[in-house]
């Protein structure tokens, strides 16, 4: 120890010092530390130090991931050290050095970082107070350190004897700190504390916690060993008891759980493969100790095998007329969808009746009529899920559903293998078990919202489930047995078909459910929603009466949606207001009128007419399809002095941005025919914006509206405010067909538009519209954009060029 202090005293602390940053290591005085130096500037530092007095400063980095830290990225209290030995690795640009810690120092000012870090430093010698408290702290530290050494299997026991030979408090503290597995921040704190007493208190607290952890770990290990020894002892005694009974000629009493499971297997009526696997697992269970970790795993597996409805089937109703009546009672309109469902049920019934004499293999392959998977596609609130419930009621089958929204793990469909802790079957098998039959109506909701990540692709797992040629032998990973899903009626729902993977979409027959008209919503509210909300809020039918005018006011002024979900919420809100009056004895019967609706629901949320009156050139009303149905979309264009640039805003997708560029190019190319000065384009910048900028928008169907807005802007003629338009425009001015016409027209009708401009090739889509919509609106079918311009632009005095160009 005296030698170490002499060694320290022999070195004077220089005013400027080269700083070597340490990664994930804290250097202490008195410690001998081996280091590997590989960073180019650190190698340069060591080489320069070898040419001088070999004195360097060791300071720990705050973040060990930084390659070459700068001032501010390393601590400012470090250890002065002397390089003892240096060894250069052959064929490598690294140095292996051994340094001796001498004393603490503190950085007062950073000088620079080129070619390596240098700093002005001052001495920071530890403060040692020789008193009774120091003696007590020193003794406690020494005893705790020895206890930790004895409890820790990684520390040599000779280290405890070494502690007894150290009498210098300063050296004792750094010796303990240097040999503990301290975190970098905690080890740096020990170095930065000036008083040795404070260092001792910090180390004592850490050692006490480490001692408790090691003691508890040793106790847990001993308890586990005792449990293992007990399980082995019980096993040997049980084997001896079995041998003694055999020698005495006594029948071995079977284990009670094994008897129970044998009875369950006999009653379950398992298929041959499943029964063979169940008996094999039962044999393993009967020879296994109940204390074994695998015992409950086998029990759970046998429970699943015995509880699944391998042979439980619902008897189908065969009355097609009754099925149609159920669908009509549950749903208003949707005639095409209901007709397809009746066809589905009729084919299912006929194939089942005539399939009794078929060969089994032919029956599997010849059941195309029943094997089809129906997919109800449409905006929220139009009755997709309730249609599945109606099908189950019409057939007399059990109904079960599973939501696929946000599912990202393939094991959710196929289950986990039994080798994993806590393994379970997939949600397909779980739903079949809950249904209690193997032929339920199974609804897979939100099939368009399945995700994909590193855990697999659930949509790929669904390919087998939804394939009639494969699902008679669906194999769940947990069961590892074939389960017949061919009798299950699978129905899927989706809001958008574009996000469904192609192979999965190919498995399904798409049935589109578009939005309702105001007339249809009124009948749905009168037949279903009002009664349901009256019952939900504890009201009798004779206590509250809704007039048709009140329901129409709710539909027109408080909701604007494709479905009826929000309409039902608003009706529920009116019912709750009525409940308050009836419960307060203010009235025995309330008739809901438009005035009472306004009083209960406060100010209107929507205008019954178009939401904006177009008064200035450069604005056109387009039609769009969203995830919640059709909607109107305003295209705004304005011009300013500039150099002919086109600016697009409103979160437009690539296809929609291209439509705007095509519209700009088309109007510019036809400037002469449209009566627009060509030089106007070179002197004017155009800004096109689609409002609701927080909502992403894409698609080519806004092309007609884009051209209309720009033609209006440059010609100075406003677009008619009661005209909506949709269609893709080419550079030649042709108007191409688009999708979602029915939903777009219904949105235009809800918004109060009177005229809709459509592509000529979308004429066949008008057949799907309700009669009241076709009668209330005017449809202009166009093949070229010139025809649309003559209809959409307001006539203006002295501005007949556009109209003449349209007829040129």
């Amino acid at each position: 120890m005296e030698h170490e202090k002499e060694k320290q005293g022999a070195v004077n602390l220089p005013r400027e010092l080269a700083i070597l940053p340490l990664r994930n290591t804290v250097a202490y005085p008195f410690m001998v530390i081996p280091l590997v130096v590989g960073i180019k500037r650190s190698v340069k530092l060591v080489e320069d130090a070898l040419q001088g007095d070999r004195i360097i400063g060791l300071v720990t980095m705050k973040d060990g991931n930084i390659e070459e830290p700068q001032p501010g990225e390393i601590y400012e209290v470090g250890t002065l050290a002397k390089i003892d030995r240096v060894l250069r690795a052959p064929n490598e640009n690294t140095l292996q050095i051994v340094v001796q810690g001498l004393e603490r120092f503190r950085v007062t000012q950073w000088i620079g970082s080129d070619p390596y870090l240098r700093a002005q430093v001052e001495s920071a010698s530890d403060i040692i107070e020789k008193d009774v408290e120091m003696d007590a702290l020193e003794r406690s530290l020494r005893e705790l350190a020895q206890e930790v050494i004895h409890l820790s299997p990684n520390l040599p026991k000779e280290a405890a004897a070494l502690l007894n030979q150290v009498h210098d408090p300063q050296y004792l503290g750094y010796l303990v700190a240097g040999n503990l597995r301290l975190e970098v921040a905690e080890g740096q704190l020990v170095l930065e504390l000036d008083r040795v007493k404070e260092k001792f208190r910090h180390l004592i607290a850490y050692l006490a916690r480490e001692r408790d952890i090691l003691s508890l770990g040793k106790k847990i290990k001993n308890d586990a060993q005792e449990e293992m020894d007990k399980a082995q002892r019980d096993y040997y005694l049980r084997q001896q008891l079995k041998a003694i009974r055999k020698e005495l000629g006594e029948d071995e009493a079977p284990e009670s759980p094994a008897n129970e499971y044998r009875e369950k297997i006999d009653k379950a009526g398992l298929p041959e493969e499943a029964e063979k696997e169940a008996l094999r697992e039962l044999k393993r269970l009967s020879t296994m100790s109940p204390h074994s970790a695998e015992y409950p795993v086998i029990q759970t597996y046998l429970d699943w095998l015995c509880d699944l409805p391998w042979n439980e089937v619902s008897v189908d109703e065969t009355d097609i007329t009754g099925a149609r009546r159920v669908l009509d009672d549950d749903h208003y309109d949707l005639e095409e969808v209901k007709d397809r469902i009746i066809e589905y049920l009729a084919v299912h019934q006929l194939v089942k009746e005539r399939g009794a004499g078929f060969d089994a293999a032919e029956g599997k392959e010849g059941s195309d009529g029943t094997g089809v998977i129906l997919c109800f596609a449409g905006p929220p609130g139009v009755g997709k899920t309730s249609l599945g419930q109606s099908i189950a009621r019409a057939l007399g089958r059990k109904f079960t559903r599973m939501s696929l929204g946000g599912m990202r793990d393939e094991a959710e469909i196929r289950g986990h293998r039994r080798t994993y802790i806590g393994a379970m079957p997939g949600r397909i098998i779980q739903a079949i078990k809950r249904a209690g039959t193997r032929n339920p109506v199974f609804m897979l909701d939100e099939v368009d919202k399945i995700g994909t990540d590193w855990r697999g692709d659930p949509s790929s797992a669904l390919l087998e489930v939804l394939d009639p040629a494969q699902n008679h032998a669906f194999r769940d990973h947990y069961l590892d047995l074939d389960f017949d899903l061919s009798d299950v009626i699978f129905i899927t729902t989706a809001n958008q078909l574009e996000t469904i993977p192609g192979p999965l979409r190919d498995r399904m027959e798409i049935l589109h459910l578009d939005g309702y008209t105001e007339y249809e919503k009124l009948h749905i509210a009168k037949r279903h929603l009002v009664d349901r909300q009256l019952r939900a809020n504890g009201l009798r039918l004779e206590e509250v009466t809704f007039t048709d005018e009140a329901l129409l006011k709710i539909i027109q002024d408080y909701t604007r949606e494709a479905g009826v979900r929000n309409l039902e919420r608003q009706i529920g809100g009116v019912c709750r207001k009525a409940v308050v009056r009836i419960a307060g004895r203010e009235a025995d019967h309330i008739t809901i009128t438009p005035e009472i609706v306004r009083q209960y629901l406060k100010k209107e949320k929507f205008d019954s007419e178009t939401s904006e009156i177009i008064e200035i050139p450069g604005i056109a009303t387009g039609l769009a399809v969203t995830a919640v149905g059709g909607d109107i979309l305003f295209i705004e264009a304005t011009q300013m002095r500039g150099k002919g640039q086109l600016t697009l805003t409103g979160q437009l997708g690539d296809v929609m941005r291209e439509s705007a560029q095509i519209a700009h190019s088309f109007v510019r190319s036809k400037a002469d025919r449209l009566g627009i000065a060509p030089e106007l384009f070179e002197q004017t910048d155009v800004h096109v914006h689609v409002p609701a900028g927080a909502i992403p928008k894409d698609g080519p169907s806004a092309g007609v509206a884009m051209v209309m807005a720009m033609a209006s802007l440059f010609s100075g003629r406003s677009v008619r405010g009661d005209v909506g338009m949709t269609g893709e425009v080419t550079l030649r001015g042709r108007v191409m067909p688009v999708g979602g016409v029915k939903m777009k027209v219904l949105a235009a009708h809800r918004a109060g538009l009177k005229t809709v401009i459509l592509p000529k090739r979308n004429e066949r889509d008008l057949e799907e519209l309700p009669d009241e919509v076709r009668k209330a609106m005017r449809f202009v079918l166009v093949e070229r954009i010139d025809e649309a311009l003559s209809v959409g632009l307001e006539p203006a005095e002295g501005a007949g060029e556009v109209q003449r160009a349209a007829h040129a």
Side-chain angles (χ1 to χ4, degrees):
M1 188 62 214
E2 292 299 322
H3 172 71
E4 294 295 340
K5 297 189 77 171
E6 288 175 7
K7 197 170 188 180
Q8 281 186 292
V11 178
N12 294 323
L13 181 67
R15 178 176 173 80
E16 294 184 3
L17 192 63
I19 303 299
L20 177 64
L22 300 183
R23 180 178 286 105
N24 301 325
T25 303
V26 180
Y28 296 109
F30 307 103
M31 300 293 101
V32 176
I33 308 168
L35 299 173
V36 177
V37 180
I39 305 298
K40 187 175 296 185
R41 71 176 188 179
S42 298
V43 172
K44 171 68 173 172
L45 183 151
V46 172
E47 290 174 348
D48 289 352
L50 292 176
Q51 302 299 322
D53 55 5
R54 296 190 171 216
I55 299 298
I56 61 175
L58 304 178
V59 184
T60 304
M61 298 161 53
K62 294 179 180 178
D63 185 356
N65 296 321
I66 299 175
E67 192 71 15
E68 293 187 2
Q70 301 298 320
E73 295 176 339
I74 62 177
Y75 293 100
E76 295 191 350
V77 175
T79 300
L80 189 71
K82 186 172 184 179
I83 302 174
D84 281 349
R85 290 188 297 278
V86 178
L87 177 64
R88 185 181 295 275
N91 300 325
E92 291 183 14
N93 296 322
T94 60
L95 299 177
Q96 297 178 1
I97 66 173
V98 178
V99 297
Q100 168 74 48
L102 302 176
E103 65 175 306
R104 288 196 321 152
F105 67 86
R106 184 175 282 104
V107 174
T108 59
Q109 182 179 351
W110 293 99
I111 297 174
S113 58
D114 188 23
Y116 40 77
L117 290 173
R118 298 187 61 82
Q120 292 183 2
V121 299
E122 64 179 11
S123 178
S125 301
D126 293 311
I127 301 173
I128 304 175
E129 300 164 292
K130 289 290 187 178
D131 53 18
V132 176
E133 184 183 11
M134 173 64 80
D135 294 338
L137 289 170
E138 181 178 349
R139 183 175 300 177
S140 297
L141 179 64
R142 198 188 310 274
E143 291 174 356
L144 273 172
Q146 290 175 339
E147 286 185 50
V148 170
I149 290 172
H150 287 297
L151 288 171
S152 177
N154 300 323
L155 296 176
K157 300 300 179 281
E158 294 79 10
L162 176 63
L163 291 175
N164 291 326
Q165 301 174 10
V166 177
H167 303 292
D168 185 346
Q170 187 184 13
Y171 184 36
L172 176 64
Y174 287 132
L175 179 63
V176 172
N179 287 279
L180 290 176
R181 291 171 296 182
L182 296 173
E183 295 289 337
V184 171
E186 200 166 17
Q188 180 67 25
L189 177 60
V190 172
L191 180 65
E192 291 182 357
L193 292 172
D194 293 327
R195 300 176 63 206
V196 175
K197 284 184 180 180
E198 295 299 325
K199 296 181 192 289
F200 278 14
R201 289 192 183 96
H202 191 78
L203 291 171
I204 287 170
Y206 181 88
L207 286 170
R209 185 170 68 252
E210 190 71 10
R211 178 194 59 188
D212 294 342
I213 293 172
L214 290 171
S215 299
L216 183 60
K218 188 173 183 180
K219 181 178 181 302
I220 293 171
K221 184 178 179 181
N222 292 337
D223 292 345
Q225 186 65 40
E226 290 176 6
E227 287 292 329
M228 189 183 301
D229 294 341
K230 183 178 182 302
Q232 291 177 346
R233 177 175 173 274
D234 291 347
Y235 175 79
Y236 291 138
L237 290 176
R238 205 170 276 107
Q239 292 299 111
Q240 290 176 359
L241 182 60
K242 190 184 295 185
I244 291 171
R245 282 179 175 166
K246 185 176 180 180
E247 288 296 325
L248 293 175
E250 297 178 357
D251 293 334
E252 181 182 355
E255 296 290 333
S256 177
N259 274 348
E260 292 178 6
Y261 281 115
R262 195 175 301 277
E263 293 177 6
K264 285 184 179 180
I265 293 171
D266 293 339
K267 293 178 181 179
L270 303 177
E272 181 180 354
E273 182 189 16
E275 184 177 10
K276 183 178 179 182
E277 181 66 18
L279 293 175
R280 189 178 73 84
E281 292 294 329
L282 181 62
K283 183 177 180 181
R284 291 181 59 207
L285 187 74
S286 61
T287 60
M288 189 177 294
S289 168
H291 301 287
S292 171
E294 200 171 353
Y295 193 88
V297 176
I298 297 177
Q299 279 187 313
T300 304
Y301 180 71
L302 290 175
D303 286 336
W304 273 102
L305 287 185
C306 296
D307 293 342
L308 281 174
W310 297 91
N311 296 308
E312 294 292 330
V313 293
S314 300
V315 179
D316 289 347
E317 298 285 346
T318 58
D319 185 5
I320 296 299
T321 304
R324 184 181 293 275
R325 186 174 59 252
V326 168
L327 292 174
D328 288 336
D329 289 344
D330 291 350
H331 296 273
Y332 178 78
D333 196 52
L334 303 177
E335 294 303 327
E336 292 185 9
V337 176
K338 288 192 286 190
D339 287 344
R340 180 62 185 90
I341 293 172
I342 293 298
E343 294 170 6
Y344 178 88
L345 299 180
V347 172
H348 180 83
Q349 173 189 334
L350 197 62
V351 169
K352 184 176 180 181
E353 290 175 355
R354 299 182 177 180
F358 291 175
D359 181 76
E362 293 177 356
K364 287 296 181 190
E365 295 178 0
S367 59
D368 292 340
T370 62
V372 66
I373 309 298
L374 298 180
C375 176
F376 298 146
V382 295
K384 300 186 294 296
T385 303
S386 58
L387 269 174
Q389 295 171 334
S390 299
I391 292 173
R393 195 158 75 90
L395 277 173
R397 293 195 182 193
K398 296 290 184 67
F399 177 79
T400 186
R401 64 178 293 274
M402 179 175 74
S403 177
L404 301 175
M407 183 180 292
R408 296 178 175 273
D409 191 354
E410 180 189 351
E412 294 275 349
I413 304 295
R414 290 187 174 276
H416 297 83
R417 300 191 185 278
R418 280 186 287 156
T419 51
Y420 296 107
I421 297 175
M424 290 184 66
R427 291 173 62 183
I428 298 290
I429 296 297
Q430 291 182 36
I432 295 292
K433 179 187 173 185
R434 285 196 303 271
T437 63
R438 67 179 180 87
N439 65 337
V441 174
F442 199 135
M443 175 154 281
L444 300 170
D445 260 338
E446 314 294 354
V447 73
D448 57 327
K449 297 177 178 62
I450 300 176
T452 302
D453 64 8
W454 56 270
R455 290 170 290 187
D457 183 2
S459 63
S460 299
L462 281 176
L463 294 178
E464 179 185 0
V465 176
L466 298 182
D467 188 349
Q470 302 180 48
N471 61 12
H472 65 277
F474 173 70
R475 185 169 287 260
D476 185 273
H477 286 159
Y478 179 83
L479 297 180
D480 200 23
L481 297 168
D482 289 344
F483 192 90
D484 188 359
L485 298 177
S486 60
D487 291 328
V488 178
I489 296 181
F490 285 104
I491 299 172
T492 65
T493 70
N495 296 131
Q496 293 177 299
L497 298 176
E498 293 77 10
T499 57
I500 303 176
L504 183 60
R505 183 176 174 180
D506 187 57
R507 297 284 201 280
M508 304 180 292
E509 178 181 341
I510 309 299
L511 297 181
H512 291 278
L513 283 75
D514 296 319
Y516 298 111
T517 64
E518 293 180 359
Y519 176 79
E520 292 169 341
K521 289 182 181 180
L522 176 62
H523 280 267
I524 292 170
K526 291 169 63 176
R527 291 179 51 176
H528 302 286
L529 305 184
V530 171
D531 291 350
R532 190 156 63 204
Q533 283 302 312
L534 289 176
R535 289 194 300 270
N537 291 283
L539 292 168
R540 298 188 182 96
L541 297 181
E542 64 272 11
E543 290 178 327
V544 176
T545 303
F546 281 80
T547 65
D548 289 359
E549 294 77 11
L551 291 173
L552 279 173
K553 182 171 181 60
I554 296 175
I555 292 169
Q556 293 172 349
D557 296 346
Y558 293 92
T559 65
R560 183 159 293 171
E561 56 179 344
V564 293
R565 190 168 290 158
N566 198 36
L567 172 60
E568 184 173 3
R569 291 194 190 101
Q570 299 298 334
I571 293 173
V574 173
C575 291
R576 289 191 294 274
K577 296 289 186 183
V579 168
V580 174
R581 292 188 59 191
I582 292 175
R585 303 293 189 269
E586 298 178 22
D588 296 328
H589 177 271
I590 300 175
T591 300
I592 306 299
T593 62
E595 292 75 22
I596 292 180
V597 169
R598 177 65 172 79
Q599 177 187 346
Y600 285 174
L601 298 181
K602 307 304 179 187
K603 66 179 182 179
E604 292 83 353
K605 296 181 179 179
F606 302 98
D607 296 329
S608 59
E609 296 298 323
T610 181
S611 59
E612 186 171 329
I613 299 175
I614 300 174
E615 297 178 346
I616 61 174
I619 303 176
T621 306
L623 303 176
V625 175
T626 68
V628 294
D631 199 0
I632 62 173
L633 199 69
F634 288 101
I635 309 295
E636 300 177 351
T638 187
Q639 59 183 348
M640 63 214 79
R641 192 183 302 275
K643 299 180 179 179
Q645 293 183 349
L646 175 64
T647 304
L648 306 174
T649 57
Q651 270 216 72
L652 309 184
D654 291 340
V655 177
M656 200 166 183
R657 298 175 74 88
E658 290 172 0
S659 296
Q661 292 166 352
I662 290 171
H664 185 259
S665 298
F666 175 80
V667 173
R668 187 173 181 179
S669 67
K670 305 297 182 183
D672 292 336
R673 293 176 58 188
L674 297 174
I676 303 171
E679 61 272 10
L680 186 62
F681 292 93
E682 299 176 359
Q683 301 167 2
T684 304
D685 287 347
V686 178
H687 185 163
V688 177
H689 177 67
V690 183
I695 303 174
K697 311 165 194 71
D698 203 2
S701 60
V704 171
M706 293 276 190
V707 174
M708 191 74 70
M710 291 193 188
S712 169
L713 177 69
F714 286 106
S715 67
R717 296 170 59 187
S718 299
V719 180
R720 288 175 53 190
D722 63 344
V723 175
M725 57 206 74
T726 184
E728 180 182 356
V729 177
T730 69
L731 280 174
R732 293 179 292 163
R734 294 185 60 204
V735 180
M736 306 295 290
V738 293
V741 169
K742 181 180 179 181
M743 285 190 280
K744 291 176 180 178
V745 172
L746 292 179
H749 183 259
R750 286 197 302 270
L753 299 177
K754 302 301 181 184
T755 303
V756 175
I757 299 174
L758 294 172
K760 176 72 174 176
R761 289 165 62 184
N762 281 118
E763 183 176 8
R764 59 183 179 272
D765 294 316
L766 298 180
E767 300 174 4
E768 302 177 0
L769 295 175
D771 291 338
E772 63 270 17
V773 174
R774 283 203 297 267
K775 293 175 182 177
M777 304 187 74
R778 174 188 173 214
F779 299 99
V780 179
L781 303 173
V782 299
E783 292 183 328
R784 299 193 60 81
I785 191 62
D786 298 334
E787 305 169 38
L789 293 174
S790 64
V791 175
L793 294 178
E794 292 277 9
E797 295 183 6
E801 293 82 357
V802 175
Q803 201 162 7
R804 287 196 297 272
H807 296 87

